[in-house]
Amino acid sequence: MSKLTIGFIINGQKKTIETTTSTRLLDLIRDDLHLTGTKEGCGKGECGACTVIMNGELVASCLILATQSDGAVITTIEGIGDNECLDPVQEAFIETGAVQCGFCTPGMILAAKKMLEENPHPDEEEIKRGISGNLCRCTGYQKIIDAIKLAANRLSSKNGGRSEKDD
Amino acid sequence: MEEFPQGLQNSKDFSGGDSKKCQRTVPCQGYFAPQRIEEALEILSRYGKEIKIIAGGTDLLVQYYDRLYEINNWLDLKNIKELKEVKINKNQMIIGAMVTHTQLESSEDIKTYYPVLSQAAADIGSPQIRNRGTIGGNIVNASPAGDLLSPLMAYDAQFKLQSNQREMIVPAEEFFIGPKKTILQPNQLLTRIILPLPEEKTYGCWIKIGKRKALAIATIILALVVKMAEDNKTVKDVRTCLGSVAPTPIEIKEVRKKMAGKNFNQLDFAELGQIVEDKISPIDDIRGTREYRKDVAKEIMINALEEIDSARRERNY
Ligand SMILES: Cc1cc2nc3c(=O)[nH]c(=O)nc-3n(C[C@H](O)[C@H](O)[C@H](O)COP(=O)(O)OP(=O)(O)OC[C@H]3O[C@@H](n4cnc5c(N)ncnc54)[C@H](O)[C@@H]3O)c2cc1C
Ligand code: FES
Ligand code: FES
C-alpha cells in the first residue's frame, strides 16, 4: 500500500505525518499520534465516542479519512485541559458525577464545549440537541445535562474565562 | 501526470501524482483534492469507475467501514469553494453540492424561502453528521429515506450534472431511478442544486416520523408545499412528496389534481389523506410495517394540511 504525507495542527502543535488513503482520522489520532482519549465505539457515526473538533466543527473522526484532514486544525480531548488546569466543562462533569465508565466522556465534553461556545445559555432541549450525537450507556444522561448546565452558569458568570476552583 | 496545486502538502509524495511510483503492477492509491471543478472533472474522466468521489464521507465511510482498502483513488471535493456556496441568482436559488446540512439549517435565505428544506436539514442525524454531511451526498446516495429528497422535489429542484464533455440540468424527479440508484454517470459530478424562488404565498410543512429524535432513519417523510393565489384562499399548485414509502422519493400527483383551483376552506382533508394512503406502496421493514406506514401517511397528510391552513389563516389577519 502506498503512503502519503499530510500535515495539520493538532492541539496547537504542527504535525507532518505519513498515512495511507484507507486510514481514518480516528486511527491516525489513536494509533499514530497515541492520543487515546478519542475512543472508537461504533465506527459508524452513531455513538460520538470518536468526536473531535476539526476546523471549528464537531465531527465524528471515524467518518473522516486521514487524508481529508490535511491542512486542518484539530482539537481532541487532550487539547482542552490538563491535570493542572482542567477545562470548566471537565470540572463540571467531575463535580456532578457525570462520568461513570468514562468511555463517552471525551466526546461528550467536546460536544458540550462546542455547544456552549455557540450558545452560552442553552435550555434543556438545546442541551439535548447539542449532545444528540453522543451516546452514554451508563449515566442515563441527567447528570451529563446537569454538568453542562453547571458549566454554562460558571462560564457566563466568569465571563467565559477559564475557571479556577471555586472559592 | 500533472501535479495538482495545493492538494496535499507534499503532492509529490502521493502515488496518484507521481508516475515513478505508479507502475500499475499493483493498483496505485491516490487522493486528489482539487480546487476547481474543471480539475475535478478532468480527474474523473481519467479515472472513471476507478475513483470514488467523497464529499462529507458520512455515507461512504459507513458503507466501506471494513473495506476502505478497496478504494484505490479518492476525489475529495472539499477544496472547491464554488461548491460550498448558497446564493440567489435572479429568480433562482443556487445551492452548491458541498453545502452541509448545518449550512442549510443556518442559512437565513433557505429558512425564508424553503422552510421545509431548512427543517429537514435541521432534523438530520446529529451535530456531527450535519457538520459533515452534504446536500450533494444526500442526493447522490439516493436512499429512499434521504431526508432532503422529498423537500427538494416539493420545491421543484433541478440538479446540474457536469462531466468534462458536457453539462446537463435534470429535474429531481428524473434523477432518482431506484433505491440508491440515480442517472448519474461515473464521469459526472453533481455540482449544483437549482431551486426556483417560490412565489409569495407559498406554504410548506415537513413531517418526519422516526423511532427517536436524533440519529433516526425515517420511517416516513412528508414534504407538503402549497402555493396559494393572491387571495390566499384559492390553491394554485401543490406538491405532496413522500420519502421512505417507495424505492425513490415520490410525488402524489393525484393530490395536485384534487386541490388545484379549489378554495382551501372547502378541502376535505380526510379525503386527501386517503389519496396519499392509497397511492403509496411502502414495504415492511424493521422500521415499520406496510400497514403502519399507510396509516401514518394518511394521518400526517391531514396534520400537514391543518398546519398549512393555520399558517395561512394567521397571514390573513
Ligand atoms: C449516524 C448517521 C446518521 C445519519 N442520519 C441521517 C438522517 O437523519 N437523514 C438522512 O437523510 N441521512 C442521514 N445520514 C446519511 C448521510 O449523512 C447523508 O445522506 C449525507 O447527506 C451524505 O452526505 P456526505 O457528503 O457525507 O456523502 P458522502 O458519503 O461523501 O457521499 C455519498 C455518495 O455520494 C457521492 N457523492 C457525494 N457528493 C457527490 C457529488 N457532488 N457528485 C457526485 N457524487 C457525489 C459519493 O461518491 C457517495 O457515493 C446519516 C448518516 C450517519 C452515519
Ligand atoms: S466511533 Fe465514531 S461515532 Fe461511534
Ligand atoms: S459514562 Fe459510561 S458510557 Fe457514558
Side-chain angles (χ1 to χ4, degrees), chain A:
Chain A
M1 191 188 296
S2 58
K3 296 191 168 151
L4 47 111
T5 305
I6 61 168
F8 51 53
I9 296 173
I10 187 158
N11 299 333
Q13 282 184 306
K14 243 186 174 163
K15 295 261 182 203
T16 305
I17 190 161
E18 204 171 64
T19 188
T20 75
T21 48
S22 46
T23 306
R24 300 169 304 169
L25 177 59
L26 172 62
D27 307 319
L28 188 79
I29 289 173
R30 287 184 55 84
D31 304 344
D32 299 323
L33 299 173
H34 308 294
L35 295 168
T36 51
T38 307
K39 307 294 180 199
E40 173 157 19
C42 62
K44 296 188 174 171
E46 290 179 7
C47 73
C50 66
T51 299
V52 301
I53 295 170
M54 181 164 110
N55 295 334
E57 277 175 343
L58 198 72
V59 298
S61 62
C62 70
L63 297 184
I64 298 175
L65 296 173
T67 48
Q68 289 185 290
S69 70
D70 183 46
V73 178
I74 299 167
T75 304
T76 69
I77 190 69
E78 289 87 349
I80 71 158
D82 54 42
N83 288 341
E84 265 84 74
C85 186
L86 291 176
D87 186 272
V89 180
Q90 291 176 310
E91 281 179 359
F93 267 64
I94 295 169
E95 283 170 43
T96 49
V99 182
Q100 287 187 27
C101 80
F103 197 80
C104 71
T105 311
M108 207 57 100
I109 286 177
L110 288 172
K113 201 174 150 56
K114 194 73 199 98
M115 172 182 40
L116 292 176
E117 251 171 55
E118 281 160 19
N119 177 8
H121 308 285
D123 61 29
E124 183 136 344
E125 277 311 304
E126 289 166 335
I127 292 178
K128 285 185 186 165
R129 188 162 193 263
I131 57 168
S132 61
N134 296 76
L135 300 182
C136 174
R137 299 171 305 170
C138 309
T139 64
Y141 299 99
Q142 194 51 53
K143 288 186 171 163
I144 292 175
I145 293 166
D146 293 344
I148 297 171
K149 284 184 186 158
L150 178 66
N153 283 339
R154 287 211 186 134
L155 282 167
S156 53
S157 64
K158 291 194 177 161
N159 227 356
R162 240 164 210 269
S163 78
E164 276 117 52
K165 275 266 173 244
D166 279 352
D167 299 333

Side-chain angles (χ1 to χ4, degrees), chain B residues 242-298:
Chain B
L242 287 102
S244 253
V245 295
T248 64
I250 52 162
E251 193 212 331
I252 311 292
K253 294 226 165 79
E254 287 72 10
V255 174
R256 256 202 230 187
K257 287 182 214 135
K258 202 84 200 172
M259 284 176 70
K262 300 267 166 64
N263 183 329
F264 206 95
N265 294 320
Q266 279 146 24
L267 292 173
D268 181 347
F269 293 177
E271 185 193 3
L272 292 162
Q274 193 60 49
I275 294 177
V276 172
E277 172 172 345
D278 292 344
K279 293 292 167 191
I280 59 173
S281 54
I283 52 163
D284 290 328
D285 69 13
I286 49 163
R287 282 172 274 132
T289 62
R290 177 186 159 81
E291 282 316 309
Y292 169 76
R293 283 199 167 96
K294 279 186 159 275
D295 285 349
V296 172
K298 179 177 175 182

Side-chain angles (χ1 to χ4, degrees), chain B residues 168-194:
Chain B
M168 56 199 271
I169 292 178
V170 294
E173 209 179 359
E174 288 170 26
F175 183 78
F176 304 106
I177 51 180
K180 307 225 159 193
K181 286 209 181 72
T182 73
I183 60 166
L184 191 79
Q185 298 299 309
N187 68 342
Q188 282 178 321
L189 205 61
L190 164 65
T191 52
R192 291 171 164 186
I193 293 84
I194 304 163

Side-chain angles (χ1 to χ4, degrees), chain B residues 115-289:
Chain B
V116 177
L117 182 63
S118 174
Q119 213 190 323
D123 275 356
I124 282 181
S126 64
Q128 288 90 329
I129 300 297
R130 289 192 294 275
N131 286 338
R132 294 288 297 171
T134 63
I135 184 169
N138 203 263
I139 293 167
V140 176
N141 196 51
S143 157
D147 279 345
L148 301 188
L149 310 184
S150 354
L152 286 169
M153 263 175 95
Y155 285 120
D156 292 332
Q158 296 184 302
F159 304 149
K160 184 170 179 182
L161 313 180
Q162 283 181 255
S163 73
N164 71 345
Q165 315 279 316
R166 67 190 194 117
E167 49 184 67
M168 56 199 271
I169 292 178
V170 294
E173 209 179 359
E174 288 170 26
F175 183 78
F176 304 106
I177 51 180
K180 307 225 159 193
K181 286 209 181 72
T182 73
I183 60 166
L184 191 79
Q185 298 299 309
N187 68 342
Q188 282 178 321
L189 205 61
L190 164 65
T191 52
R192 291 171 164 186
I193 293 84
I194 304 163
L195 304 171
L197 283 187
E199 290 165 31
E200 203 205 332
K201 294 194 171 86
T202 300
Y203 301 87
C205 181
W206 155 255
I207 298 180
K208 170 180 176 177
I209 306 289
K211 284 246 152 86
R212 55 189 172 128
K213 250 197 176 149
L215 291 171
I217 303 172
T219 313
I220 186 163
I221 295 164
L222 170 66
L224 179 64
V225 172
V226 181
K227 274 182 224 165
M228 230 58 98
E230 264 313 299
D231 64 4
N232 205 19
K233 281 193 191 111
T234 315
V235 178
K236 231 172 140 180
D237 206 355
V238 191
R239 296 287 180 277
T240 313
C241 299
L242 287 102
S244 253
V245 295
T248 64
I250 52 162
E251 193 212 331
I252 311 292
K253 294 226 165 79
E254 287 72 10
V255 174
R256 256 202 230 187
K257 287 182 214 135
K258 202 84 200 172
M259 284 176 70
K262 300 267 166 64
N263 183 329
F264 206 95
N265 294 320
Q266 279 146 24
L267 292 173
D268 181 347
F269 293 177
E271 185 193 3
L272 292 162
Q274 193 60 49
I275 294 177
V276 172
E277 172 172 345
D278 292 344
K279 293 292 167 191
I280 59 173
S281 54
I283 52 163
D284 290 328
D285 69 13
I286 49 163
R287 282 172 274 132
T289 62

